Amino acid sequence: MAAYPRDVRLTPAQRATAWFFFIMSGLFLVQTLLGSATQHYRADLQSFFGFPLDQWLPYNLTRTWHVQLSIFWVVTSFLAIGIFLAPLIARGWEPKRQALLTRLLLGALVVVVVGSLLGELAGMRGWLGPLWAQLGNQGFEYLDLGRIWQVLLTLGMGIWAFILFRGLRRRLRTEHLANMPWLFFLAALALPAFYAVGLLASPDSHFTAADFWRFIVVHLWVEDFLELFTTATVAYLFVLLGVVRERVALSVIFLDVVLYSAGGVIGTMHHLYFSGEPAEHLALGATFSALEVVPLLFLTVEAWSFLQLGARRQSASSTPFPHRWAVMFLAAVGFWNFLGAGVFGFLINLPIVSYYEIGTGLTANHAHAAMMGVYGMLAVGFAMFALRYLIPEERWSDRLASISFWSLNLGLAWMSFATLLPAGALQLYKVVDAGYADGRSLGYLQGGTNMFLEWLRLPGDVVFMVGGVLPLLWLSYLGIRYRSRTTRSPEAPAETLLFTEIVPDSSDDKAEDTDAADLVVGVADKVAGGPEATG
């Protein structure tokens, strides 16, 4: 039988990731607080409930920090889950000093995050003089951080890829290049490689060239290679958990490579309307960009089938499936990927719509539903998966995980459907009817209907922060406070690495037994030490 979380001994590097998830949760909380302040400026320009917040944190600073932290806390979780999975993929082996490198990476990440945020504050205050672009703010959205911090972040992700290679190299020697261990590593390697492309954009560059390279990061890195790593990691988790068959996971990853590469490379062009791109390029970009939602949707369908099957078996079992909420967060990724990135993205991607709509509320609707709905839910799902092992059984709380899941999803849905979507649609109508300047004017934004919609967002934000973020922060704290002090030696048998095993019982009908048996093909292969499927 496969091991239950309480029976699994973690490696030193896996234990070190507890700090990653705690810092991730803290950054998430700060990011939501800054987001609420930024939103409040849209509803009340005078003060923050009577407090003169603008004297300390003006709108341009809160918005910059809010956007930057959305990247920082998500990337922190991605770094952590890669390190956490490496010993599991390597069948228990972990090289010496892997934990030390992990802690050094965490320290470097803290330096970059704190340094870049303080640099942006100092740059906006004019305290850096001619060094504002190097240490302060380059002025590019999503690449706001100073050039030095951008270089250090790129190097940090490169060190992370090196840490993964150290942990996986024994397994990689025995695997075909088309198998899942290599696909996981190559997807991870692409993250620092293509984030580095943003270094080609600088404040001294011509706008057309700078904006092109910036959007390579915003679109090609975020919506191609980050999505590729997402799919490879989720697929590996689902296979190890018995959620999908390994052959299906490999097929989805290869489909992901084709669709995301087309959607990422060609789809990038839908961002470049004001850089002089021909209309044909924009039409192709909008169409291919919309295809990016397909691969994760396939994985979600498989995961949902598993959840239904697992729920029936759990009712008759004394050992419930321990990763229900991790899988639920991963399933939510598929939902928001289809709605936020797909539907809401396609609504604003078409060239004629983009011409009138860019920079209005519908862009913010797509950005929040896609960034938080896909990468945010994914980052939290990764944390839930790892924390299930870091937190002792008697300290773990399914109730807190449940509250966090439903609050984050309901709060995000409220944010989108109560405010961002209707306000964006009305603003687009205003732009088409009266002109772009009128639709973006302070008079319109402070109008009665728009102000009502802005204030209507408040209940959803409270649910999101109080019910969603705070329970996650507490669970992450438990992961540090009570994490097991016992570690697993590299000679531990491979069976102790498995997470769960779904075994059909005789009371189910034959069709369900066959389905359940298919679901654990990947787990059974690993128990037997068999080769990876090649798809």
Side-chain angles (χ1 to χ4, degrees):
M1 285 296 294
Y4 201 71
R6 60 175 172 265
D7 303 321
V8 175
R9 291 187 175 185
L10 303 178
T11 67
Q14 286 176 318
R15 293 183 68 251
T17 61
W19 280 102
F20 278 80
F21 293 116
F22 179 67
I23 291 176
M24 176 211 81
S25 302
L27 294 177
F28 188 18
L29 176 61
V30 175
Q31 192 239 351
T32 57
L33 293 174
L34 289 166
S36 67
T38 304
Q39 167 63 20
H40 190 83
Y41 280 123
R42 297 180 61 87
D44 183 3
L45 291 175
Q46 302 302 317
S47 66
F48 187 80
F49 298 106
F51 179 77
L53 183 66
D54 61 299
Q55 297 180 15
W56 302 92
L57 298 174
Y59 173 83
N60 59 339
L61 182 61
T62 61
R63 188 180 187 279
T64 297
W65 279 357
H66 178 66
V67 173
Q68 283 294 286
L69 284 171
S70 69
I71 299 174
F72 285 146
W73 77 265
V74 167
V75 167
T76 301
S77 181
F78 278 41
L79 300 182
I81 198 62
I83 295 172
F84 194 91
L85 283 180
L88 306 171
I89 297 172
R91 297 193 176 110
W93 181 77
E94 181 176 283
K96 295 180 179 179
R97 294 182 290 278
Q98 190 82 330
L100 175 62
L101 288 175
T102 300
R103 288 190 286 269
L104 290 175
L105 176 63
L106 178 63
L109 180 66
V110 171
V111 169
V112 170
V113 172
V114 176
S116 65
L117 296 179
L118 293 179
E120 287 159 355
L121 169 63
M124 291 182 184
R125 295 290 186 181
W127 298 340
L128 297 176
L131 296 178
W132 65 270
Q134 284 71 40
L135 293 172
N137 191 327
Q138 295 185 83
F140 301 124
E141 190 174 21
Y142 281 98
L143 293 177
D144 302 86
L145 69 173
R147 177 54 58 100
I148 291 176
W149 308 117
Q150 185 184 8
V151 171
L152 291 177
L153 182 58
T154 304
L155 292 176
M157 287 192 288
I159 294 171
W160 169 69
F162 172 71
I163 292 173
L164 293 187
F165 178 75
R166 290 184 81 241
L168 296 173
R169 65 179 187 268
R170 285 191 178 182
R171 179 73 186 273
L172 295 179
R173 291 187 193 129
T174 64
E175 293 290 340
H176 189 276
L177 195 63
N179 284 352
M180 290 191 70
W182 268 108
L183 294 177
F184 174 80
F185 174 69
L186 292 175
L189 188 62
L191 297 188
F194 280 85
Y195 184 79
V197 172
L199 295 171
L200 297 174
S202 72
D204 298 326
S205 303
H206 187 279
F207 170 78
T208 301
D211 209 44
F212 176 84
W213 294 118
R214 180 180 78 91
F215 271 121
I216 288 295
V217 176
V218 174
H219 188 99
L220 194 60
W221 184 68
V222 173
E223 298 187 39
D224 186 356
F225 294 102
L226 207 59
E227 290 266 23
L228 177 60
F229 178 75
T230 293
T231 303
T233 306
V234 171
Y236 228 130
L237 285 177
F238 281 174
V239 168
L240 293 171
L241 291 173
V243 175
V244 298
R245 297 179 293 275
E246 191 165 351
R247 184 178 297 273
V248 172
L250 273 169
S251 300
V252 170
I253 292 175
F254 283 117
L255 179 63
D256 175 287
V257 171
V258 174
L259 292 181
Y260 284 163
S261 295
V265 176
I266 303 176
T268 302
M269 294 186 296
H270 84 269
H271 287 287
L272 305 176
Y273 198 101
F274 297 103
S275 298
E277 290 288 337
E280 295 82 1
H281 291 194
L282 298 171
L284 285 172
T287 302
F288 278 89
S289 181
L291 293 176
E292 296 171 10
V293 305
V294 177
L296 271 179
L297 188 60
F298 286 165
L299 277 178
T300 305
V301 171
E302 286 281 328
W304 186 252
S305 299
F306 165 78
L307 287 174
Q308 292 179 314
L309 176 62
R312 291 194 295 270
R313 299 191 183 285
Q314 179 173 314
S315 61
S317 173
S318 59
T319 57
F321 178 58
H323 294 290
R324 171 176 172 79
W325 293 108
V327 174
M328 286 290 285
F329 272 105
L330 298 181
V333 170
F335 170 80
W336 287 108
N337 197 36
F338 177 74
L339 179 64
V343 177
F344 292 160
F346 192 77
L347 285 178
I348 65 174
N349 281 351
L350 297 178
I352 189 62
V353 177
S354 182
Y355 178 81
Y356 289 100
E357 182 279 333
I358 191 168
T360 68
L362 286 180
T363 299
N365 178 55
H366 163 59
H368 282 78
M371 187 66 189
M372 178 58 216
V374 179
Y375 294 122
M377 295 297 174
L378 184 67
V380 178
F382 287 162
M384 289 292 178
F385 172 81
L387 289 172
R388 195 64 180 86
Y389 296 97
L390 292 164
I391 300 174
E393 186 69 26
E394 64 274 11
R395 298 286 181 178
W396 173 260
S397 173
D398 266 340
R399 179 176 177 81
L400 286 179
S402 171
I403 293 173
S404 180
F405 173 82
W406 290 112
S407 297
L408 288 177
N409 280 277
L410 291 175
L412 181 58
W414 185 289
M415 185 187 309
S416 179
F417 289 102
T419 298
L420 295 175
L421 182 60
L426 291 175
Q427 190 178 19
L428 176 59
Y429 177 83
K430 181 68 173 179
V431 170
V432 175
D433 181 60
Y436 192 75
D438 284 348
R440 295 265 295 181
S441 67
L442 188 60
Y444 173 78
L445 295 177
Q446 294 291 299
T449 302
N450 194 70
M451 291 291 289
F452 170 76
L453 292 174
E454 297 289 358
W455 280 109
L456 191 60
R457 177 173 160 175
L458 181 60
D461 286 357
V462 172
V463 170
F464 188 91
M465 288 187 290
V466 176
V469 182
L470 291 183
L472 173 65
L473 181 62
W474 180 252
L475 287 173
S476 301
Y477 167 74
L478 296 180
I480 296 174
R481 177 67 177 82
Y482 297 107
R483 58 181 170 163
S484 173
R485 296 185 180 276
T486 59
T487 57
R488 173 170 48 78
S489 68
E491 291 76 24
E495 287 83 352
T496 63
L497 305 181
L498 300 180
F499 312 127
T500 188
E501 184 174 357
I502 307 301
V503 179
D505 49 56
S506 58
S507 62
D508 293 317
D509 58 38
K510 183 177 181 180
E512 279 195 0
D513 287 348
T514 302
D515 193 19
D518 287 339
L519 287 172
V520 297
V521 167
V523 177
D525 283 345
K526 289 175 177 55
V527 172
E532 298 275 327
T534 59

